Amino acid sequence: GENRFSAHANSVEDLQWHPGEPTVFASCSADQHMGIWDVRKRDGFALSVHAHESDVNVMSWNTAVEYLIATGADDGSFRIWDLRQMDSGKPVAHFQWHTAPITSIEWNPNEESAIAVSAADNQLTLWDMSVEKDSEAQTTEVAEGFVVPDQLLFIHQGQSDIKELHYHRQIPGVILSTAGDGFNVFKTINS
């Protein structure tokens, strides 16, 4: 039989199987939407959200906290979605750090709150979603008008045209990244 799934209005850019439910997967699209599907039901999304104001390029399902999905878009932003609250249409977190399209995003398989994001701005950034703003801490403004989000832990630079990143599943904190000028394998001191 035919196993075609159709509901997006433009090209599908990424797909991810649910880490625990064998019949559920997610899709993101150039139509600015993210959809959740169940292979047992082929007549459209089980859930859908207008995820970004530009093409949604990549996504990653958190393998430790299965109701969290991260999406990255052409506008350089990435968002964290809680499936239990997707009907609200609002992400649980939204970051606009990168200045070019997000090219890859992946939750750390060994640390449920950590996520890595790469973009066409030649940066690969590491984030910790468990960090909350400390009202007593000094400002995160490092230069006039330049504010660093508290959740941003590390910026890896030195590669051109970064395309993809992946955490090592057996060695905590090790990341492999591909780029137009080769690939890097690295581990930060805080990972």
Side-chain angles (χ1 to χ4, degrees), residues 68-99:
L68 293 179
I69 297 180
T71 56
D74 263 1
D75 64 3
S77 73
F78 75 95
R79 296 178 179 185
I80 311 298
W81 299 91
D82 183 330
L83 292 182
R84 302 168 305 173
Q85 301 172 18
M86 226 166 95
D87 287 341
S88 74
K90 295 181 182 358
V92 293
H94 176 209
F95 296 93
Q96 182 71 56
W97 173 263
H98 290 279
T99 58

Side-chain angles (χ1 to χ4, degrees), residues 91-126:
V92 293
H94 176 209
F95 296 93
Q96 182 71 56
W97 173 263
H98 290 279
T99 58
I102 303 296
T103 58
S104 190
I105 191 166
E106 185 170 288
W107 289 99
N108 185 330
N110 300 299
E111 182 63 46
E112 68 183 26
S113 64
I115 192 166
V117 181
S118 66
D121 61 4
N122 300 326
Q123 293 184 58
L124 188 158
T125 54
L126 302 182

Side-chain angles (χ1 to χ4, degrees), residues 8 13 16 60 66 81-82 150 170 175:
H8 284 292
E13 301 297 314
Q16 292 274 311
S60 178
E66 295 179 357
W81 299 91
D82 183 330
D150 295 332
Q170 290 80 33
I175 295 177

Side-chain angles (χ1 to χ4, degrees), residues 26-79:
S27 62
C28 63
S29 170
D31 68 6
Q32 305 177 357
H33 286 78
M34 175 183 62
I36 307 299
W37 304 79
D38 190 321
V39 297
R40 299 167 296 186
K41 177 182 171 239
R42 293 201 182 104
D43 58 348
F45 300 120
L47 288 170
S48 177
V49 68
H50 183 243
H52 290 268
E53 298 305 316
S54 62
D55 296 4
V56 186
N57 301 326
V58 292
M59 62 191 321
S60 178
W61 216 310
N62 190 317
T63 58
V65 184
E66 295 179 357
Y67 53 82
L68 293 179
I69 297 180
T71 56
D74 263 1
D75 64 3
S77 73
F78 75 95
R79 296 178 179 185

Side-chain angles (χ1 to χ4, degrees), residues 124 156 158-165 175-186:
L124 188 158
H156 176 71
Q159 289 183 283
S160 295
D161 198 23
I162 301 172
K163 292 297 184 192
E164 197 162 355
L165 66 89
I175 295 177
L176 175 69
S177 60
T178 65
D181 58 354
F183 65 91
N184 283 182
V185 179
F186 68 94

